[in-house]
Amino acid sequence: MPDTFNCGDSGQHSEGMESMDGAAVVEKCKFASFIERIASEVSVVTPVPRGSGEFSFAEVQDASSLQNPSYRPTLNSPKKYFLPPQEVLFRFTGKSGTSVRGGEEVQYEQDIESPRRVLLAVRPCDLAAIQRMDEVFRAAEPDHHYLQRRQRSIIIGLDCPEPCDEFAFCAAMGTSEVDEGFDLLLVDLDDVWYVRIGTKRGEEFLAECPGVRAAGGDDVREVQRVQKAKERAFERCAQDLPVPREDLPELLRRAEESPVWEEYGERCLGCGRCNLVCPTCFCFDVEDIVALDLGKGERRRRWDACTLLEFAAVAGGENFRRDRADRLRHMFQHKGRYAPERYGELFCTGCGRCARTCLAGIIPTEVYGALREDVKDGVDET
Ligand code: SF4
Ligand code: SF4
């Protein structure tokens, strides 16, 4: 297999990684054998059942999980492979007692754990989320830890024939269909996979799989039939927002002082679960662990959550968002208003993970509905 894991940037927008307009077809059994061979050489991660109908991304040795592609979304999104829940950013050593303040005598060591990896069967909503994360970690100050892992990963998406459950509102958020954000995208055509080729790297990867042929007219007609069925299946999901998604920033602006935040803040436990499972939440905390003699130490980061009490706490005992209502409002405002202002995209893909996991039953579409009721004037209904 050529080293397709190291061919520069991981995204669609970089030189040498331009999106290709192509598709192929491969028998499922041949693709499964190919993945099994690949798994002996690199890490292959895909959703696997965890009991009670739950799934999580984990390393596998074969593609047997693709036999039953109708899984519920994983509890955690695949972002954990690019931004681990916690990691060491660098270690430093120096002369005992003097060195940690910086200067020539300090030695830094950076060891980024980034195995070659194939992410298999990533859903369209998560592909859309990865694109947003890419934007964050490329912008301003490129994050080498994140970007190195992205560069060494191949992403194989899996199209959804229908919404995964009642919590998903991906179609309303425009993420049930994706044209980019994957190296390859699998569409289920019974005995074969119709494979959309998203990048040159994806094409090179697929070329190593035996039995692949270019998609013909019959394949294209079949995938169009599947596509039509998908559109019908997603009709309800596409109606799940009380306003068009383009109007969410304006709705949130007008609802800045809405009493709805107090109402939901009363119910919210401030537990942070919604942030932690969200595929587009990217906040992290950084801490330095330093030896008592100041001669060595390490800088670590770990996921943080804006719904947690300590998130906005600062030195001196102040906390800018002590109330749960303020923290909940901030999370919604960030996803639906601040992030679009900065990155040009809503930072919610409608994956429904937050609603599925919230012990207080707080569901984003219901919150938007309550805000819409409270701020009726000037925001169009869908
Ligand atoms: S909205 Fe739900 S999951 Fe999020 S902090 Fe509040 S109780 Fe926890
Ligand atoms: S806010 Fe909720 S529905 Fe939106 S992307 Fe995050 S977890 Fe998914």
Side-chain angles (χ1 to χ4, degrees), residues 19-236:
S19 180
M20 297 186 62
D21 183 21
V25 171
V26 60
E27 286 175 34
K28 285 183 174 176
C29 55
K30 289 189 174 147
F31 188 72
S33 302
F34 172 60
I35 292 295
E36 198 170 322
R37 175 161 70 79
I38 294 293
S40 67
E41 300 173 28
V42 304
S43 169
V44 175
V45 296
T46 195
V48 295
R50 290 297 190 202
S52 309
E54 302 293 343
F55 289 79
S56 67
F57 272 92
E59 195 161 304
V60 294
Q61 296 306 311
D62 58 41
S64 56
S65 62
L66 278 178
Q67 304 287 351
N68 176 21
S70 299
Y71 62 82
R72 288 179 65 188
T74 51
L75 177 62
N76 271 303
S77 78
K79 84 173 178 189
K80 65 183 180 181
Y81 293 112
F82 309 128
L83 182 70
Q86 54 187 348
E87 67 177 315
V88 174
L89 294 177
F90 59 81
R91 295 186 172 81
F92 49 93
T93 54
K95 198 173 157 195
S96 175
T98 60
S99 57
V100 292
R101 290 181 189 171
E104 289 175 9
E105 68 271 31
V106 179
Q107 307 291 317
Y108 295 95
E109 180 194 321
Q110 197 177 54
D111 181 18
I112 303 174
E113 185 266 330
S114 57
R116 295 189 303 165
R117 182 169 275 146
V118 175
L119 276 74
L120 179 64
V122 181
R123 294 295 194 184
C125 61
D126 283 340
L127 295 172
I130 290 171
Q131 285 185 281
R132 286 156 174 76
M133 296 288 278
D134 286 354
E135 185 61 30
V136 170
F137 287 98
R138 279 199 190 108
E141 191 65 36
D143 187 296
H144 299 299
H145 289 70
Y146 179 96
L147 294 175
Q148 184 165 311
R149 294 189 184 104
R150 280 288 280 118
Q151 285 163 8
R152 289 172 63 78
S153 299
I154 285 179
I155 297 181
I156 303 178
L158 175 62
D159 201 26
C160 299
E162 58 191 10
C164 39
D165 63 13
E166 71 276 19
F167 294 112
F169 55 106
C170 50
M173 298 305 286
T175 66
S176 57
E177 300 279 344
V178 286
D179 292 325
E180 52 184 15
F182 54 84
D183 295 299
L184 299 170
L185 177 67
L186 306 177
V187 183
D188 191 350
L189 297 186
D190 294 330
D191 293 335
V192 299
W193 294 115
Y194 182 91
V195 190
R196 295 189 200 278
I197 298 169
T199 63
K200 180 83 176 149
R201 176 164 61 172
E203 186 178 36
E204 289 174 2
F205 181 81
L206 192 64
E208 296 298 307
C209 177
V212 176
R213 61 172 172 81
D218 287 350
D219 305 310
V220 172
R221 276 186 287 281
E222 182 61 7
V223 91
Q224 285 169 344
R225 185 192 63 75
V226 167
Q227 183 61 32
K228 287 248 176 310
K230 173 173 177 170
E231 282 167 21
R232 286 193 297 278
F234 275 87
E235 271 170 13
R236 186 278 303 160

Side-chain angles (χ1 to χ4, degrees), residues 264-265 267-275 277 307-308 324 327-328 331-332 354-355 357-363:
Y264 279 91
R267 283 166 55 183
C268 175
L269 305 169
C271 64
R273 287 165 65 107
C274 48
N275 291 125
V277 299
T307 50
L308 292 176
R324 293 193 301 275
R327 301 201 293 276
L328 199 62
M331 181 177 71
F332 275 85
C354 54
T357 200
C358 178
L359 296 172
I362 295 175
I363 298 173

Side-chain angles (χ1 to χ4, degrees), residues 169 274 277-281 331 335 347-355 364:
F169 55 106
C274 48
V277 299
C278 179
T280 62
C281 276
M331 181 177 71
K335 293 192 167 298
F347 264 48
C348 172
T349 65
C351 72
R353 283 187 176 90
C354 54

